[in-house]
């Protein structure tokens, strides 16, 4: 049977999969296959060679043999190129608006869900499926999402490249042999046509890239991009729909647990430190990026981590460094032709170089990746304006205000000299992946934090001593000390003072961190510039929050009022 047949069979019926045979030198490409049957689209009649849940070793062989730009690095990782796209394409993401989604989903201003109709989805779907069926072989991964065994989601990923299959092997939860034999019908399927573009004459298409989600069909189609993160984050969007329906909160956060069972969540936009700070030698890693918070506690959605590797150093991030070994996928990095030593400082392909590795490559990963209810909720912002304190303690209303704001400010192009930092506000620290209105997730978070007595913190992993250009990024070692003091509870015991404008509670001391940096005003030589920058940022926060002032958070009007008052005053 070919892929993507629907009319003659129930949706998502499991194809007949013939398991891998014993190794035969002349038969490496034919380890498993689907049995062809009559179907509707004549192009789908073609017999396709399906490479089903191959192992890393087999995927390495396919990548090295057939995929240009694939190499083994000196530490054994598979270095590969994602092509023209080296990051996600949020403006090319579409969601089918139909009876299932029109009332439920977040549409309109600020929403990542750009609508598309069913017919257009089917055109793109057929385009992807036809392309995949025309290939000599396709890769199929059957895997799981969510370590919470009662809320596990079965996913199937159909892709054109060994790189994509290995990436998902690492990023999703890997089934055991028995689980695979009894896999049954997937709950969700991705058809990833990779480099094959959408047709620009198709309605709604604005470029050659299209990432299309159909909730009712439980399908996603990817055309015109080989950036692998698109699959990982596409499934995250799906979880942001499915989990809240079960009263489970989905979170764009890292998560780890101390030896005494204290769990911390790390929220933050890309590049703010979720992966770096959740990977902590003194604590158990639950996950670096996507979690669920249910009545039972937290669970990782994924089976692997996806670390940024720009300027990666063995000294500062030994666990991530050591995870980049045989089995890990290294995207878009540069390396020496002969020694195959990776140069992590090289940005020639992109600044967004990445490593994807199974979570058990981190020595203190907690398997299964589940933990009790969080004790600390840490909001990470990389403030390139340099005015937010390195750490502040938040009350519940402030936590909600900053969670909904989802602020960070990174510097756009670090190579071309000094540039203005640009503020980004992304609701729930991950608007790009939200399916429902941000206030739905915020209400769930407030309820859970209240019920379990979690403390909120705002940690600035960005600039100190001035904005980008005059100040410098807070040392990772200091941020780690701050995080240690949060985990240990010592930061609850120190004295606090309230800042002007943002009304943030800042501690007078943190062990291992110079006290003068705790109030950013001390670190700026030009106090007028500090005040101006502070007011400017406060204005940006107020402006952004206007969209949310008409919404209530949960049943409690009191919290909504407190939250509206919890922002900056200027
Ligand atoms: N003070 C700091 N705190 C956290 N990360 C820092 C700090 N200074 C520099 N960094 C760097 O910033 C990047 C954070 O990226 P990452 O942890 O991958 O973010 P995320 O997982 O949130 O996308 C890493 O490359 C890290 O080395
Ligand atoms: C993979 C991604 O996540 P992050 O940068 O948060 O690690 C992404 O946003 O594409
Ligand atoms: Ca990350
Ligand atoms: Mn992330």
């Amino acid at each position: 049977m070919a892929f993507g047949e629907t009319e003659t069979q129930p949706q998502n019926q499991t194809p007949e999969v013939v398991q891998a045979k014993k190794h035969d030198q002349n038969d490496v490409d034919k380890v498993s296959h689907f049995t062809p049957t009559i179907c509707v689209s004549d192009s789908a009649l073609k017999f396709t060679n399906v490479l089903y849940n191959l192992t890393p070793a087999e995927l390495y062989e396919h990548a090295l043999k057939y995929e240009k730009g694939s190499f083994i690095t000196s530490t054994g990782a598979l270095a590969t190129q994602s092509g023209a796209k080296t990051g996600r394409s949020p403006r090319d993401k579409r969601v089918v608006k139909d009876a299932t989604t029109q009332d439920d989903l977040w549409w309109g201003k600020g929403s990542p869900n750009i609508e598309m109709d069913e017919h257009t989805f089917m055109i793109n779907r057929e385009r992807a499926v036809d392309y995949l069926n025309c290939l000599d072989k396709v890769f199929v991964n059957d895997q799981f999402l969510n370590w919470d065994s009662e809320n596990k989601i079965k996913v199937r990923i159909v892709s054109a490249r060994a790189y994509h299959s290995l990436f998902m092997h690492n990023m999703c939860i890997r089934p055991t042999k028995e689980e695979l034999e009894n896999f049954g019908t997937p709950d969700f399927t991705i058809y990833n046509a990779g480099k094959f573009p959408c047709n620009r004459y198709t309605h709604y298409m604005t470029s050659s890239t299209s990432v299309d989600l159909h909730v009712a069909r439980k399908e996603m189609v990817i055309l015109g991009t080989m950036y692998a993160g698109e699959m990982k984050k596409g499934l995250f969007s799906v979880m942001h729909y499915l989990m809240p329906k079960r009263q489970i909160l989905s979170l764009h956060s890292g998560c780890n647990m101390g030896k005494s069972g204290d769990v911390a969540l790390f929220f933050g936009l890309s590049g703010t430190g979720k992966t770096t700070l959740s990977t902590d030698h003194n604590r158990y890693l639950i996950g670096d990026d996507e979690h669920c918070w249910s009545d039972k506690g937290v669970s990782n959605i994924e089976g692997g981590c996806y670390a940024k590797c720009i300027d990666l150093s063995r000294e500062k991030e030994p666990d991530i460094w050591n995870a980049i070994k045989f089995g890990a996928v290294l995207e878009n990095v540069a390396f020496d032709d002969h020694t195959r030593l990776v140069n992590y400082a090289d940005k020639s392909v992109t600044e967004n170089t990445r490593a994807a590795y199974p979570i058990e490559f981190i020595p203190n990963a907690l398997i299964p990746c589940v933990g009790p209810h969080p004790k600390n909720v840490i909001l990470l912002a990389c403030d390139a304006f340099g005015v937010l304190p390195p750490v502040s303690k938040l009350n519940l209303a402030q936590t909600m205000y900053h969670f909904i704001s989802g602020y960070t400010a990174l510097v756009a192009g670090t190579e071309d000299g000094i540039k203005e930092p640009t503020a980004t506000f992304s609701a729930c620290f991950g608007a790009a992946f939200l399916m429902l209105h941000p206030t739905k997730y915020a209400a769930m978070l407030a309820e859970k934090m209240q019920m379990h007595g979690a403390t909120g913190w705002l940690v600035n992993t960005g600039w100190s001593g001035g904005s980008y250009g005059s100040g410098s990024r807070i040392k990772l070692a200091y941020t780690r000390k701050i995080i240690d003091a949060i985990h240990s509870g010592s930061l609850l015991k120190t004295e606090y003072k309230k800042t002007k404008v943002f009304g943030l509670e800042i501690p007078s001391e943190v062990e291992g961190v110079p006290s003068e940096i705790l109030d950013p005003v001390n670190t700026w030589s030009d106090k007028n510039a500090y005040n101006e920058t502070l007011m400017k940022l406060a204005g940006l926060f107020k402006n952004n929050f206007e969209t949310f002032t008409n919404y209530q958070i949960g049943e409690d009007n009191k919290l909504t009022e407190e939250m509206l008052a919890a922002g900056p005053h200027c």
Side-chain angles (χ1 to χ4, degrees):
M1 182 188 80
F3 290 110
E5 294 161 40
T6 47
E7 263 97 329
T8 55
Q9 58 169 9
Q11 225 184 78
N12 290 325
Q13 188 184 311
T14 318
E16 281 174 54
V17 175
V18 178
Q19 291 297 324
K21 292 182 294 200
K22 264 190 106 175
H23 184 67
D24 170 347
Q25 277 300 352
N26 302 315
D27 205 20
V28 279
D29 289 348
K30 296 178 190 151
V31 283
S32 55
H33 63 84
F34 286 74
T35 312
T37 54
I38 310 292
C39 57
V40 178
S41 165
D42 58 353
S43 79
L45 277 171
K46 187 178 170 289
F47 178 82
T48 302
N49 182 20
V50 173
L51 302 173
Y52 185 66
N53 275 37
L54 295 197
T55 59
E58 293 171 302
L59 292 167
Y60 264 59
E61 286 165 8
H62 277 276
L64 295 170
K65 209 163 158 188
Y66 303 109
E67 295 172 16
K68 219 172 134 254
S70 302
F71 295 90
I72 302 183
T73 71
S74 63
T75 66
L78 180 70
T80 178
Q81 300 279 332
S82 70
K85 294 286 168 82
T86 57
R88 281 181 296 103
S89 308
R91 278 175 299 276
D92 297 311
K93 191 173 161 209
R94 301 283 180 278
V95 180
V96 174
K97 194 173 197 173
D98 58 9
T100 314
T101 57
Q102 64 182 359
D103 298 328
D104 269 13
L105 262 53
W106 180 26
W107 303 103
K109 192 172 177 259
S111 151
N113 305 312
I114 309 171
E115 71 175 84
M116 132 188 271
D117 60 48
E118 163 116 23
H119 182 71
T120 312
F121 176 88
M122 292 310 287
I123 291 173
N124 280 358
R125 182 187 186 279
E126 181 126 320
R127 199 166 161 91
V129 163
D130 282 351
Y131 169 74
L132 290 164
N133 277 319
C134 284
L135 300 172
D136 295 335
K137 64 189 181 206
V138 296
F139 298 89
V140 174
N141 290 42
D142 278 351
Q143 296 184 257
F144 301 112
L145 295 179
N146 199 357
W147 285 90
D148 167 5
S149 51
E150 286 168 42
N151 293 290
K152 198 156 70 171
I153 301 295
K154 295 187 278 182
V155 288
R156 171 166 296 163
I157 301 101
V158 184
S159 62
R161 290 188 60 179
Y163 148 44
H164 287 155
S165 185
L166 183 58
F167 177 89
M168 292 311 265
H169 170 89
N170 290 351
M171 294 308 299
C172 297
I173 300 168
R174 293 157 289 284
T176 61
K177 195 163 170 279
E178 290 70 41
E179 284 171 332
L180 200 56
E181 271 157 18
N182 304 312
F183 194 78
T185 309
D187 300 310
F188 197 85
T189 302
I190 295 182
Y191 295 102
N192 184 357
K195 68 182 176 190
F196 194 71
C198 59
N199 184 329
R200 65 199 164 103
Y201 294 111
T202 304
H203 186 39
Y204 292 107
M205 296 302 107
T206 47
S207 82
S208 57
T209 301
S210 195
V211 178
D212 309 324
L213 173 58
H214 195 316
V215 172
R217 289 187 63 90
K218 303 172 176 173
E219 287 179 338
M220 173 173 276
V221 168
I222 300 176
L223 289 160
T225 173
M226 291 191 289
Y227 179 64
E230 208 70 75
M231 293 183 283
K232 157 197 158 65
K233 283 304 211 288
L235 290 175
F236 191 35
S237 296
V238 174
M239 293 300 276
H240 267 313
Y241 177 78
L242 296 177
M243 293 299 113
K245 287 216 169 293
R246 303 180 185 190
Q247 316 310 318
I248 297 169
L249 175 59
S250 42
L251 318 157
H252 185 212
S253 76
C255 181
N256 67 17
M257 186 176 89
K259 305 267 148 73
S260 59
D262 62 299
V263 166
L265 295 175
F266 300 81
F267 287 97
L269 291 171
S270 188
T272 56
K274 295 181 300 298
T275 303
T276 306
L277 299 169
S278 57
T279 309
D280 180 333
H281 216 70
N282 300 314
R283 295 171 64 84
Y284 300 114
L285 177 65
I286 294 179
D288 79 319
D289 198 52
E290 307 177 5
H291 291 84
C292 286
W293 188 350
S294 75
D295 290 343
K296 291 172 291 185
V298 289
S299 59
N300 188 355
I301 289 175
E302 302 181 289
C305 303
Y306 196 30
K308 276 185 184 294
C309 354
I310 202 70
D311 297 322
L312 184 71
S313 89
R314 174 186 253 152
E315 292 68 37
K316 287 188 203 150
E317 297 176 63
D319 288 341
I320 295 175
W321 179 279
N322 290 327
I324 305 177
K325 58 183 182 184
F326 177 81
V329 175
L330 253 183
E331 287 175 333
N332 301 319
V333 295
F335 47 86
D336 184 275
D337 271 350
H338 179 57
T339 62
R340 300 290 161 80
L341 281 166
V342 179
N343 177 5
Y344 287 110
D346 193 313
K347 299 174 183 172
S348 56
V349 181
T350 174
E351 175 134 7
N352 188 31
T353 55
R354 295 270 183 168
Y357 46 86
I359 190 157
E360 60 269 18
F361 281 18
I362 298 295
N364 52 356
L366 186 67
I367 311 285
C369 306
V370 296
H373 296 288
K375 185 173 149 202
N376 289 299
V377 171
I378 302 169
L379 311 182
L380 304 171
C382 178
D383 176 29
F385 290 103
V387 295
L388 288 184
V391 58
S392 21
K393 190 174 67 179
L394 306 174
N395 61 31
L396 188 64
Q398 285 176 315
T399 309
M400 289 310 123
Y401 178 86
H402 286 279
F403 180 68
I404 292 174
S405 297
Y407 164 74
T408 204
L410 296 162
V411 181
T414 35
E415 300 112 81
D416 309 332
I418 301 153
K419 277 194 185 156
E420 272 282 281
T422 31
T424 308
F425 293 94
S426 178
C428 310
F429 292 100
F433 324 115
L434 299 184
M435 296 291 282
L436 314 177
H437 194 270
T439 51
K440 299 251 170 61
Y441 304 97
M444 288 178 82
L445 182 64
E447 196 194 301
K448 286 181 186 297
M449 284 185 66
Q450 216 158 13
M451 186 183 296
H452 302 288
T455 309
W457 305 88
L458 181 64
V459 170
N460 173 13
T461 62
W463 269 251
S464 175
S467 297
Y468 177 82
S470 55
S472 56
R473 195 158 178 190
I474 296 167
K475 285 198 176 75
L476 179 54
Y478 291 159
T479 303
R480 287 206 196 274
K481 287 287 180 196
I482 288 168
I483 301 290
D484 288 347
I486 292 174
H487 292 320
S488 75
S490 72
L491 210 50
L492 282 174
K493 291 177 197 130
T494 182
E495 266 172 52
Y496 281 85
K497 70 169 182 191
K498 211 184 181 91
T499 66
K500 276 186 269 170
V501 187
F502 275 87
L504 295 167
E505 299 278 347
I506 57 176
S508 54
E509 55 186 358
V510 180
E511 204 195 309
V513 181
S515 293
E516 62 273 17
I517 75 163
L518 296 174
D519 187 346
V521 68
N522 300 331
T523 66
W524 284 60
S525 49
D526 184 344
K527 307 293 177 206
N528 283 337
Y530 168 78
N531 280 319
E532 267 171 36
T533 311
L534 183 67
M535 295 312 278
K536 181 180 167 185
L537 183 61
L540 295 172
F541 264 85
K542 288 189 94 148
N543 209 16
N544 170 69
F545 212 80
E546 258 157 37
T547 354
F548 300 107
T549 46
N550 297 326
Y551 288 91
Q552 190 179 317
I553 303 298
E555 314 288 282
D556 198 346
N557 213 10
K558 195 170 146 266
L559 180 62
T560 306
E561 280 164 26
E562 284 174 5
M563 187 189 66
L564 293 176
H569 294 277
C570 53

